[in-house]
Amino acid sequence: MNIMNPTTTTTTNTNNFTAFISANTAGTATRNFAFFRHVQFFEVFAALFVFMAINSLRQKRRQGLPVWPVLGMLPSLAVALQTNMYEWISDVLRSRNGTFRFKGPWFSSLNCIVTADPRNLEYLLKTKFPNFPKGPYFHDTVRDLLGDGIFSADDETWQRQRKTASIEFHSAKFRNLTTESLRELVHNRLLPVLEDSIKQLAEIDLQEVLLRLTFDNVCMMAFGVDPGCLQKGLPQIPFAKAFEDATEATVFRFVTPTCVWKAMRYFNVGMEKKLKESLRGVDEFAEDVIQTRKKELSSRCDEKKTRSDLLTVFMGLKNEEGEAFSDKFLRDICVNFILAGRDTSSVALSWFFWLLDQNPEVEEKILKEICKIVGEREEVEKKGEIISESGLVFRPEEIKKMDYLQAAISEALRLYPSVPVDHKEVVEDDKFPDGTELKKGTKVVYAIYAMGRMEAIWGKDYREYKPERWLGRDGRYMSESAYKFTAFNGGPRLCLGKDFAYYQMKFVAASIIYRYRVKVVENHPVVPKLALTMYMKHGLKVNLSRRDESELQIYFKG
């Protein structure tokens, strides 16, 4: 039997106790170290967060809005997209005296200069025009929709299209054609559709009706094709929906980092999937128009001599190699002129009628002007013609005399320009008149919507709808500088169809106002939609009622 030595036992117990204490001490030290490490990490993280917040606030004081590490100003833009991006841009520009630098996320393509300073616009659009083309970024972004058309092209491609279109736009034959087609569309389609809504006691989406009108008109003028979009019952036209979806998806690219939307395009998801599907409808329509015209021209030798539409003119031209333009190029021409002729006038008229509903005194002055001008006709039967329910047709010279109506439309365009923003790119290092440094490759966005909301440009009443600001002491319409009122662009890219656009809008507006009261449906939401042109997001739902003969007689006698 082994008997344990008491000394040995004591020593063993002591060693075990010491090991236990050491192990527990080591474990505690390890836990304490881990705890302090987490505390230090938290402190560093908190300090970093505070630093980021302070830096962001400093940037906000300098830039007008916070600039976050990595994300830049993207969070502010994301919030603005959920409300009204154009008002957000206007607020920032007012706080920054008309120009600010937008900083996008790191390694993104969203960095740009945003300006609403008339001095900068004149420099950009006229003085140094060659140094500020649309640029590769813009062309790459809109290429799928607009291709090499006049809206997105630069240099030789743009100059050739503009020169050809300019010659056609200023020909007497083309002007007569546009005047006749507009008169036919208004009296044979627009007014019957409006009358039908009255008979049915139904509200109508005036924006949709006007879009159909201008779509039919631009197709007849530019392509010699009548799509019959504006008819009783408002039949579904797949192209119209496809075109609107395509413009919306294209604008999405401008507020999304290039790497993101290109990845979405590669995987065919989100807005890029929508764009791809809508472009199918756009391309099918353009292809059908082109092929139909080719067949007509080949079957009738004298067709080229009798037709006066833009598509036929371009089909007769040759490119730099002496060959006929490709179907792809003709497709781009079609889509660009549809964008120019369909959306701009109809969208402007929609905002115009919405503003009239809010300012009945302006509508009364317009009606008084219309009756006064038509009352000057020399025919013996003029009174009967004036008060006829639908027979009155305004003459071109009468439309031109409607100065107050033009002022009211211009004021609507000042507040709600059809194209709210536009884009340029810097070719060589430069400097704006306001002192802003411009590096080669910098993107410049000029905010046309914001320009109508700048006190420095329009005075303290800049938010008021006030047509009188466009009239001289003699009551005649006075145009503003294209670099202060940029609804029709300016410089070499000044809108070719500006005069016709005014004529079209005045003719349509006068024809409606003379016959009907237009009342926006109560509580109908009216906000701009994010697109290449400023659609109303929910359309413009209105109720129409006919004017009484007695009311017209009062204005006629007055």
Side-chain angles (χ1 to χ4, degrees):
M1 180 170 73
N2 293 324
I3 299 175
M4 186 177 296
N5 189 320
T7 305
T8 304
T9 303
T10 302
T11 303
T12 302
N13 288 340
T14 301
N15 290 338
N16 289 340
F17 179 74
T18 302
F20 173 77
I21 293 298
S22 298
N24 276 276
T25 302
T28 301
T30 301
R31 285 193 296 272
N32 287 343
F33 177 75
F35 172 76
F36 285 118
R37 186 176 60 188
H38 288 310
V39 169
Q40 289 174 346
F41 176 79
F42 176 78
E43 288 176 344
V44 171
F45 179 80
L48 182 62
F49 178 81
V50 171
F51 170 76
M52 289 166 56
I54 292 173
N55 183 64
S56 177
L57 290 173
R58 285 176 177 171
Q59 291 287 347
K60 181 176 182 178
R61 279 194 287 270
R62 290 201 300 267
Q63 303 287 346
L65 66 162
V67 182
W68 296 95
V70 182
L71 296 177
M73 298 176 180
L74 187 61
S76 298
L77 177 62
V79 172
L81 290 173
Q82 304 304 313
T83 52
N84 187 332
M85 185 186 74
Y86 307 120
E87 282 293 335
W88 173 75
I89 292 174
S90 301
D91 290 341
V92 177
L93 284 169
R94 279 195 299 272
S95 69
R96 301 303 303 160
N97 296 321
T99 303
F100 79 99
R101 292 182 183 273
F102 181 88
K103 296 185 178 180
W106 291 357
F107 309 113
S108 78
S109 56
L110 296 183
N111 296 314
C112 62
I113 302 292
V114 185
T115 187
D117 189 320
R119 296 171 300 168
N120 293 347
L121 261 74
E122 183 170 7
Y123 190 79
L124 183 82
L125 300 176
K126 186 183 76 171
T127 308
K128 293 293 289 290
F129 174 75
N131 198 39
F132 300 99
K134 291 284 186 177
Y137 170 77
F138 183 88
H139 190 258
D140 187 42
T141 305
V142 303
R143 183 196 304 271
D144 291 336
L145 176 61
L146 300 181
D148 294 312
I150 194 169
F151 268 10
S152 60
D154 283 316
D155 304 326
E156 295 285 337
T157 305
W158 166 74
Q159 289 176 7
R160 184 157 194 171
Q161 290 182 63
R162 184 175 177 89
K163 182 178 179 181
T164 301
S166 179
I167 293 171
E168 191 65 18
F169 270 47
H170 291 95
S171 70
K173 187 176 181 180
F174 187 79
R175 287 200 301 270
N176 292 336
L177 173 66
T178 55
T179 302
E180 292 169 8
S181 66
L182 179 61
R183 183 173 65 243
E184 178 186 339
L185 284 169
V186 168
H187 286 272
N188 296 342
R189 299 190 191 181
L190 174 63
L191 296 180
V193 166
L194 299 182
E195 275 294 313
D196 193 50
S197 73
I198 293 176
K199 291 176 183 177
Q200 296 181 19
L201 301 176
E203 63 184 43
I204 191 170
D205 184 347
L206 188 58
Q207 177 176 257
E208 181 186 359
V209 171
L210 293 170
L211 280 166
R212 288 170 178 267
L213 170 72
T214 51
F215 177 55
D216 281 356
N217 199 24
V218 72
C219 286
M220 292 168 70
M221 290 189 314
F223 321 130
V225 172
D226 181 5
C229 191
L230 184 59
Q231 301 285 353
K232 286 185 179 181
L234 302 180
Q236 287 294 322
I237 306 295
F239 168 81
K241 180 67 168 61
F243 190 79
E244 187 173 333
D245 288 345
T247 61
E248 180 182 6
T250 299
V251 167
F252 176 78
R253 290 179 171 182
F254 284 101
V255 294
T256 308
T258 302
C259 59
V260 174
W261 69 255
K262 285 191 173 181
M264 293 173 69
R265 182 176 63 180
Y266 180 80
F267 292 106
N268 194 32
V269 296
M271 291 297 281
E272 288 299 312
K273 181 179 180 180
K274 181 179 181 180
L275 177 60
K276 185 177 180 180
E277 292 171 349
S278 58
L279 284 174
R280 222 175 273 127
V282 173
D283 292 343
E284 286 174 3
F285 174 82
E287 178 68 17
D288 184 57
V289 168
I290 292 166
Q291 295 307 320
T292 299
R293 176 52 36 77
K294 283 187 173 182
K295 289 178 182 178
E296 290 176 351
L297 294 177
S298 62
S299 63
R300 284 181 278 183
C301 298
D302 61 340
E303 189 73 14
K304 291 182 182 179
K305 298 178 181 178
T306 58
R307 281 194 175 276
S308 184
D309 60 83
L310 285 169
L311 181 58
T312 302
V313 171
F314 276 102
M315 281 182 169
L317 297 177
K318 305 293 183 182
N319 60 21
E320 291 81 359
E321 289 75 33
E323 301 173 346
F325 286 118
S326 67
D327 286 358
K328 169 64 172 63
F329 186 72
L330 294 174
R331 174 263 181 210
D332 295 344
I333 290 171
C334 287
V335 172
N336 277 256
F337 278 102
I338 289 172
L339 178 66
R342 171 188 181 259
D343 289 14
T344 51
S345 295
S346 54
V347 166
L349 282 171
S350 298
W351 289 104
F352 166 74
F353 277 106
W354 177 69
L355 287 166
L356 281 194
D357 180 66
Q358 297 181 317
N359 299 272
E361 72 283 357
V362 174
E363 181 182 14
E364 185 176 348
K365 290 178 182 178
I366 292 172
L367 188 58
K368 183 177 180 181
E369 178 183 63
I370 292 171
C371 291
K372 178 179 180 296
I373 290 172
V374 180
E376 295 171 356
R377 290 186 177 184
E378 297 178 355
E379 291 86 350
V380 176
E381 301 294 330
K382 67 181 179 181
K383 289 187 180 180
E385 188 177 16
I386 291 169
I387 62 174
S388 67
E389 185 175 335
S390 60
L392 176 65
V393 179
F394 296 111
R395 299 169 179 173
E397 62 271 20
E398 291 172 339
I399 294 296
K400 291 175 183 176
K401 291 179 182 178
M402 296 180 185
D403 289 289
Y404 190 82
L405 175 57
Q406 183 160 345
I409 291 174
S410 296
E411 183 71 346
L413 280 166
R414 177 183 74 85
L415 292 169
Y416 297 98
S418 298
V419 179
V421 295
D422 211 340
H423 174 281
K424 296 285 188 179
E425 195 163 318
V426 183
V427 175
E428 298 293 342
D429 290 359
D430 211 326
K431 181 188 286 189
F432 270 152
D434 70 355
T436 303
E437 296 286 344
L438 303 169
K439 297 297 182 182
K440 179 180 178 179
T442 300
K443 291 180 284 294
V444 179
V445 173
Y446 52 106
I448 303 170
Y449 179 95
M451 292 189 73
R453 286 160 174 74
M454 301 295 286
E455 182 178 335
I457 300 176
W458 301 101
K460 292 184 178 180
D461 60 351
Y462 66 91
R463 283 196 177 274
E464 294 180 26
Y465 179 61
K466 189 177 177 182
E468 285 74 16
R469 73 174 83 240
W470 297 86
L471 301 175
R473 292 182 179 179
D474 58 355
R476 299 298 302 275
Y477 176 80
M478 298 189 307
S479 60
E480 278 288 358
S481 162
Y483 313 107
K484 176 179 175 181
F485 174 62
T486 321
F488 293 95
N489 217 316
R493 280 190 180 262
L494 180 70
C495 177
L496 283 171
K498 177 182 176 180
D499 291 340
F500 173 73
Y502 266 122
Y503 181 85
Q504 181 187 53
M505 290 186 288
K506 290 168 70 176
F507 189 89
V508 172
S511 298
I512 294 175
I513 292 170
Y514 179 78
R515 292 167 173 81
Y516 307 110
R517 294 185 187 87
V518 181
K519 294 297 178 185
V520 178
V521 171
E522 189 174 356
N523 297 323
H524 175 67
V526 176
V527 291
K529 182 178 182 178
L530 188 65
L532 290 176
T533 47
M534 191 173 280
Y535 294 107
M536 290 179 171
K537 189 173 183 179
H538 307 287
L540 184 64
K541 297 294 180 66
V542 302
N543 289 309
L544 301 175
S545 60
R546 296 188 194 92
R547 293 196 184 277
D548 298 329
E549 289 187 9
S550 57
E551 180 183 3
L552 292 175
Q553 286 289 5
I554 290 173
Y555 287 113
F556 174 67
K557 292 176 181 177

